[in-house]
């Protein structure tokens, strides 16, 4: 009777496995936007049993069938044992699903057809891009620029990386970080969420401008440098304070301003003579007094220390493009001269314990006079003037600026007087005096510095060449992790790529395209918080950290690109320390900072 009762119980509850049984689950995720199917590898974030205990599992994704297979072992399983998985995918709401498995004799298995719904922010990015395409028809030309406050401005009290993801996925390769035709206009999170889509039509630039996340554009029309004054005034009535930022960025993009300069200009707020001349100073500095990478600060090592005079846009360029931030004590700025268009640069020689001080300036009035002389213009349109200055920056940057002074034999005491001295953080012993020309010009030990005889030329790598460097770096990382028994999967939320690509240059060329190559292999990009461009100077090294997070554990594989050999050198230690914060999932806007 007891045996019969046991058989009845088993029949009612399902068969029981007293030992660990292999379980296999096929997860077939379909997305709200059908063209995301097969394009996004869903992340099985968590698997728990009915008691809430986490279960370890392995996963593989088959893009051909769009199915993610998870395999795990479980003891005492029955047909009624419940499991819960959590799934996330970039641009979609996290999905929690509870299921049971079926006994197939040798194993338990289940097939789960699931649907994920888009976040409000992702839906906005997709739909506003779709609307802009209906107006501008840019999918036929593939030639479009997107300028948006998404990334810093919030949407419905949330960060807006999903808006960027929606723009990128709706544009399907026509817009990418590597092509640098998605510019994040730096604002605060309280500012409105705005979008400008710009296309070229002959010699004209046509924009569709959407204000405050509205699906109806407030302006569709020209933003070209050739627009008449009356048209510019009409544009101002619609765009207000955003008129010049949008028009200046659009026109600079159209004439081929280097993508890294465009990104800095979006960070700064617009393209102007200060931005252009700041880069001209850096180009001139690298040509005649190139970086030696020997300067060591008490806190962080930099190639140059920069002494600015706040009030001009050039100072933002130095901070951005030279990795000379105040936080590194590499930039100080004091209004010790009436001319805000002056900048000083200190290059230190750690062997001789002496430095070189180079002081440069640009004159807006002199450049305006030269512009009028060369073009025959009688009045100055800032957009046309910018175009003229950008061409000078490309062909002869030194023609935009003047080297006022260049002195050798600068001593440590003199550096300390100019820059200030802070032996430890928060312990200032000498306050910075800045560009005190009365002091500098009366130092009897200083002698005129001899400029280098260097040709500063630009390379001829194509977008595809640079993108391929990113692909090769990602493939190298896959190989390194595989050697440890770890298979990297595309779109893994736990894999982060940190790189100097997008800041540093190769042979004078922007390296943003490297990031598109990484995305092709690993699905890592900024809008997913999984590809982080780390601040570096223009002349820095192309570096990569591939960091896999497992709980609080970090597995990091680091390398740098050898420009001479075209190969990657694997390093024994990480390039960056920002990995320490990644296990705690910081918000997007925090990571961008």
């Amino acid at each position: 009777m007891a045996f019969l009762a046991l058989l009845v119980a088993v029949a009612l509850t399902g068969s029981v496995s007293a030992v660990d049984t292999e379980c296999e689950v096929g997860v077939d995720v379909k997305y709200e936007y059908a063209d995301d199917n097969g394009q996004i590898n869903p992340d099985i974030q968590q698997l728990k049993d009915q008691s809430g205990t986490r279960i370890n599992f392995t996963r593989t994704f088959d893009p051909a069938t769009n199915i993610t297979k998870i395999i795990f072992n479980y003891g005492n399983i029955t047909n009624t044992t419940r499991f819960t998985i959590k799934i996330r995918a970039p641009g979609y709401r996290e999905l929690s699903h509870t299921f049971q498995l079926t006994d197939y004799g040798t194993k338990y298995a289940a097939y789960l057809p699931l649907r994920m719904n888009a976040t409000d922010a992702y839906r906005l990015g997709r739909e506003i891009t779709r609307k802009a395409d209906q107006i501008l028809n840019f999918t036929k030309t593939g030639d479009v620029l997107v300028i948006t406050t998404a990334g810093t401005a919030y949407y419905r009290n949330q960060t807006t990386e999903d808006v960027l993801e929606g723009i990128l996925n709706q544009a399907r390769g026509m817009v990418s970080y590597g092509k640098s035709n998605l510019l994040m206009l730096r604002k605060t999170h309280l500012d409105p969420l705005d979008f400008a889509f710009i296309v070229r039509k002959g010699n004209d630039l046509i924009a569709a401008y959407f204000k405050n996340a509205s699906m109806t554009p407030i302006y569709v029309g020209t933003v070209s440098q050739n627009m008449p004054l009356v048209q510019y005034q009409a544009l101002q009535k619609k765009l207000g304070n955003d008129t010049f930022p949008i028009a200046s960025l659009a026109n600079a993009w159209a004439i081929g301003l280097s993508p890294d300069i465009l990104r800095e200009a979006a960070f700064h707020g617009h393209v102007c003579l200060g931005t252009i001349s700041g880069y001209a100073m850096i180009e001139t500095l690298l040509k005649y007094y190139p970086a030696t990478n020997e300067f060591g600060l008490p806190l962080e090592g930099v190639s140059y220390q920069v002494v600015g005079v706040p009030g001009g846009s050039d100072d933002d360029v130095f901070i951005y493009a030279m990795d000379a931030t105040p936080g590194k004590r590499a930039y100080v700025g004091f209004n010790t001269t009436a001319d805000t268009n002056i900048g000083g640069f200190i290059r230190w020689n750690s062997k001789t314990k002496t430095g070189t001080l180079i002081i440069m300036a640009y004159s807006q009035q002199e450049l305006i006079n030269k512009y009028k002389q060369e073009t025959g213009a009688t009045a100055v349109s800032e957009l046309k003037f910018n175009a003229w200055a950008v061409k000078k920056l490309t062909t002869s940057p030194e023609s935009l600026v003047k080297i006022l002074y260049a002195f050798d034999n600068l001593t440590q005491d003199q550096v300390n007087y100019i820059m200030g001295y802070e032996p430890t953080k928060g312990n200032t012993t000498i306050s910075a005096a800045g560009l005190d020309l009365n002091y500098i010009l009366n130092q009897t030990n200083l002698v005129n510095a001899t400029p280098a005889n260097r040709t500063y030329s630009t390379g001829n790598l194509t977008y595809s060449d640079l993108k391929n460097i990113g692909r090769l770096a990602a493939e190298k990382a896959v190989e390194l992790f595989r050697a440890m028994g770890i298979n990297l999967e595309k779109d893994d939320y736990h894999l982060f790529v940190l790189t100097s690509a997008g800041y540093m240059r190769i042979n004078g060329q922007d390296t943003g395209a490297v990031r598109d190559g990484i995305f092709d292999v690993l699905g890592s990009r900024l809008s997913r918080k999984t590809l982080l461009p780390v601040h570096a100077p223009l002349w820095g090294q192309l570096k990569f950290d591939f960091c896999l997070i497992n709980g609080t554990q970090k597995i990091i594989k680091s390398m740098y690109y050898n420009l001479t050999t075209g190969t990657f050198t694997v390093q024994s230690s990480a390039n960056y320390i920002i990995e320490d914060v990644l296990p705690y999932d910081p918000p997007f806007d925090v990571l961008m900072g």
Side-chain angles (χ1 to χ4, degrees):
M1 292 295 293
F3 179 67
L4 288 173
L6 178 61
L7 286 178
V8 170
V10 170
L12 291 174
T13 60
S15 59
V16 177
S17 172
V19 296
D20 281 355
T21 302
E22 183 179 279
C23 304
E24 181 178 307
V25 180
V27 184
D28 185 1
V29 173
K30 293 292 189 292
Y31 298 104
E32 178 179 333
Y33 286 89
D35 60 347
D36 284 334
N37 295 334
Q39 298 293 323
I40 302 175
N41 182 0
D43 181 51
I44 312 298
Q45 190 181 0
Q46 189 181 98
L47 173 66
K48 289 184 177 181
D49 65 13
Q50 56 199 16
S51 66
T53 303
R54 278 194 176 218
I55 303 169
N56 292 325
F57 60 91
T58 60
R59 49 164 281 179
T60 55
F61 176 68
D62 181 4
T65 61
N66 194 46
I67 292 178
T68 301
K69 183 168 68 175
I70 62 173
I71 296 176
F72 61 95
N73 291 318
Y74 194 81
N76 298 322
I77 188 172
T78 74
N79 289 337
T80 60
T81 306
R82 296 191 308 278
F83 300 91
T84 301
I85 56 170
K86 282 187 178 180
I87 306 172
R88 61 178 178 175
Y92 287 85
R93 299 181 186 278
E94 185 176 273
L95 176 65
S96 181
H97 181 76
T98 300
F99 62 95
Q100 297 166 328
L101 287 81
T102 301
D103 182 5
Y104 287 96
T106 57
K107 63 175 151 184
Y108 277 72
Y111 167 72
L112 306 180
L114 303 175
R115 185 180 187 274
M116 296 189 75
N117 294 318
T119 64
D120 291 343
Y122 182 72
R123 196 176 291 120
L124 173 65
R126 298 254 342 196
E127 295 305 321
I128 214 159
T129 305
R130 188 199 308 272
K131 182 70 172 180
D133 189 27
Q134 290 171 355
I135 296 168
L136 301 173
N137 202 20
F138 56 76
T139 50
K140 285 194 174 180
T141 64
D143 193 17
V144 60
L145 172 69
V146 185
I147 306 170
T148 178
T149 59
T152 48
Y154 277 28
Y155 181 61
R156 297 179 178 174
N157 296 318
Q158 298 292 325
T159 56
T160 47
E161 62 270 30
D162 278 0
V163 175
L164 299 170
E165 184 75 7
I167 293 170
L168 292 164
N169 286 353
Q170 184 67 32
R172 285 293 170 219
M174 282 176 290
V175 177
S176 76
Y177 289 112
K179 291 179 179 177
S180 295
N181 57 350
L182 174 61
L183 297 179
M184 293 185 289
L185 192 62
R186 189 57 58 95
K187 296 283 187 177
T188 74
H189 75 268
L190 297 175
D191 282 305
L193 184 54
D194 300 337
F195 305 82
F197 293 81
I198 298 108
V199 296
R200 262 186 280 243
K201 291 196 175 178
N203 293 324
D204 202 2
L205 294 176
I206 305 299
Y209 189 81
F210 300 82
K211 187 72 176 174
N212 205 18
S214 169
M215 292 297 297
T216 303
I218 64 169
Y219 177 82
V220 177
T222 184
V223 291
S224 170
Q225 59 170 301
N226 297 314
M227 76 179 92
L229 179 59
V230 64
Q231 181 63 53
Y232 189 80
Q233 290 170 339
L235 182 64
Q236 282 183 310
K237 287 182 180 179
K238 296 290 187 179
L239 271 62
N241 292 334
D242 290 332
T243 304
F244 184 69
I246 298 301
S248 65
L249 286 165
N251 282 277
W253 165 75
I255 60 178
L257 185 62
S258 180
D260 51 358
I261 302 180
L262 279 174
R263 289 192 292 271
E264 187 281 331
F267 173 87
H268 169 65
H270 55 247
V271 178
C272 61
L273 180 60
T275 298
I276 297 165
S277 297
Y279 273 94
M281 285 191 195
I282 297 173
E283 299 273 23
T284 303
L285 181 70
L286 293 174
K287 180 176 181 179
Y288 294 112
Y289 303 96
T292 59
N293 294 307
E294 289 187 302
F295 201 103
L297 285 173
L299 299 176
E300 296 188 55
V302 292
S303 300
Y304 299 95
Q305 287 180 294
V306 180
V307 197
V309 180
S313 302
D314 52 325
D315 294 282
D316 283 357
V317 173
F318 304 146
I319 290 170
Y320 185 96
M322 300 181 73
D323 193 25
T325 62
K328 296 184 178 73
R329 277 49 171 187
Y331 173 94
V332 298
F334 285 87
N335 193 16
T336 50
T337 171
D339 189 354
T340 61
N341 299 332
I342 287 181
F345 309 90
I346 296 172
R347 182 187 64 177
W348 188 252
N349 187 320
S350 59
K351 295 178 182 177
T352 63
K353 303 297 182 184
T354 60
T356 304
L357 171 64
I358 307 98
I359 301 175
M360 281 188 264
Y362 69 94
S363 168
Q364 180 170 325
Q365 190 55 56
E366 286 183 17
L367 291 173
I368 288 174
N369 293 340
K370 188 184 290 187
Y371 164 74
K372 288 181 176 180
Q373 180 183 358
E374 292 185 6
T375 64
T378 55
V380 178
S381 157
E382 190 166 3
L383 293 177
K384 290 185 177 180
F385 179 58
N386 278 354
W388 173 84
V390 166
K391 188 174 291 185
K392 292 284 185 184
L393 177 63
T394 304
T395 57
S396 56
E398 60 266 40
S399 68
L400 293 172
V401 299
K402 289 183 178 179
I403 298 178
L404 302 179
Y405 308 101
F407 296 125
D408 269 337
N409 287 346
L410 196 69
T411 67
Q412 185 67 66
D413 286 341
Q414 289 166 335
V415 172
N416 292 345
Y417 175 84
I418 295 168
M419 294 294 298
Y421 179 58
E422 189 177 25
T424 57
K425 201 167 189 177
N427 185 15
T428 302
T429 57
I430 299 175
S431 296
L435 283 179
D436 183 347
L437 294 180
N438 288 330
Y439 168 82
I440 293 167
L441 297 179
N442 282 291
Q443 299 303 297
T444 57
N445 66 302
L446 299 180
V447 298
N448 290 331
T450 303
N453 184 20
R454 182 182 182 217
T455 301
Y456 192 70
S457 58
T458 303
N460 57 3
L461 292 171
T462 65
Y463 166 81
S464 296
D465 294 334
L466 290 161
K467 181 178 177 179
N468 193 50
I469 293 174
R471 287 189 62 88
L472 293 173
E475 288 168 357
K476 182 71 174 177
V478 171
E479 175 188 319
L480 292 172
F481 276 92
R482 187 181 294 128
M484 299 178 62
I486 300 171
N487 291 319
L488 296 183
E489 290 204 355
K490 196 172 182 180
D491 305 336
D492 190 341
Y493 267 93
H494 304 99
L495 177 67
F496 297 85
V497 184
L498 295 89
T499 177
S500 57
Y503 280 109
M504 58 77 59
R505 290 178 174 178
I506 293 177
N507 291 335
Q509 291 183 266
D510 169 59
T511 53
V514 170
R515 295 187 282 176
D516 280 358
I518 296 170
F519 173 74
D520 279 357
V521 176
L522 296 173
S524 309
R525 65 182 176 196
L526 182 59
S527 56
R528 299 178 174 185
K529 298 200 307 185
T530 52
L531 191 150
L532 305 177
V534 182
H535 203 188
L538 293 178
W539 56 90
Q541 202 170 42
L542 181 53
K543 299 177 181 179
F544 305 88
D545 278 4
F546 295 86
C547 176
L548 186 64
I549 302 294
N550 182 14
T552 58
Q553 182 187 11
K554 300 181 295 293
I555 305 171
I556 301 172
K557 295 297 177 183
S558 303
M559 65 187 80
Y560 67 87
Y561 180 68
N562 188 316
L563 178 60
T564 304
T565 63
T567 58
F568 297 91
T569 300
V570 179
Q571 299 165 261
S572 58
S573 59
N575 291 303
Y576 309 111
I577 61 170
I578 195 174
E579 285 100 341
D580 290 343
V581 77
L582 296 178
Y584 304 99
D585 195 24
F588 180 75
D589 49 349
V590 173
L591 273 179
M592 283 209 305

